[in-house]
Amino acid sequence: MRKFLVVLDDSRECLNAMRFAAMRAAHTGGGVAIISVIPPDEFQHWIGVGDIMRQEARERIEVHFEVFAKWMRDRQGIDPELIIREGEAVPEILKLIREDEEIGVLVLGAGTGKQGPGPLVTQLTRSSGTLPIPITIVPGDLSKERLESIT
């Protein structure tokens, strides 16, 4: 089964990437894998405090994931899988792509602000020539109706 890999973060454009991946997976008989990467700098405290912060970060991610997962299950019939990694986002995403041969497409949401499409889109498109899979970049301001029509 081909899986669409989506990055779960706090960006607004993440929503459109999730929608696109779920709709494409539903239309093509694929699956959705959702990765969230906890940056290492969040735990540069004493060991006990760092462990508590790590657990809290995982819980926040799981709650955020459940919102998307419920929508995917209820509306698209897709049961996504959650992968939580710790480290720098781009290396962890690339590592997962190389580890999981079922991942067939990386789906990223592009920001609409003056800062550009966002750091993940910028960094990952630089490596796109050497990736073993294609990247789909979903504009952050696409309407739900337009997403439905193109998936």
Side-chain angles (χ1 to χ4, degrees):
M1 172 176 64
R2 176 177 72 157
K3 291 190 272 189
F4 292 84
L5 177 63
V6 187
V7 178
L8 174 63
D9 58 22
D10 294 328
S11 68
R12 278 188 61 234
E13 55 271 14
C14 170
L15 176 61
N16 268 359
M18 293 285 174
R19 286 179 178 150
F20 180 88
M23 288 187 242
R24 286 298 301 145
H27 289 120
T28 61
V32 174
I34 298 174
I35 184 171
S36 187
V37 182
I38 303 169
D41 57 332
E42 285 191 23
F43 310 117
Q44 300 300 324
H45 303 281
W46 297 302
I47 292 175
V49 174
D51 290 343
I52 292 168
M53 292 177 72
R54 181 177 289 111
Q55 184 58 37
E56 289 173 351
R58 287 181 172 276
E59 289 170 6
R60 277 194 313 274
I61 289 166
E62 289 168 1
V63 167
H64 199 182
F65 165 78
E66 252 332 293
V67 171
F68 291 112
K70 181 174 179 1
W71 177 83
M72 288 182 190
R73 286 185 213 106
D74 294 350
R75 300 281 174 105
Q76 303 300 323
I78 298 293
D79 190 20
E81 90 180 90
L82 174 62
I83 299 125
I84 300 175
R85 298 276 178 106
E86 293 180 23
E88 297 298 328
V90 172
E92 289 300 325
I93 292 165
L94 295 174
K95 184 178 171 186
L96 177 61
I97 289 169
R98 289 186 173 91
E99 289 172 359
D100 189 341
E101 293 180 9
E102 290 184 339
I103 295 173
V105 178
L106 172 61
V107 180
L108 300 172
T112 59
K114 292 180 183 178
Q115 304 87 352
L120 278 182
V121 172
T122 302
Q123 291 175 43
L124 286 164
T125 54
R126 285 186 192 137
S127 335
S128 62
T130 60
L131 286 177
I133 62 171
I135 298 175
T136 298
I137 300 173
V138 182
D141 61 357
L142 274 179
S143 69
K144 284 191 275 191
E145 296 77 24
R146 183 71 179 128
L147 274 172
E148 288 173 4
S149 73
I150 61 175
T151 57

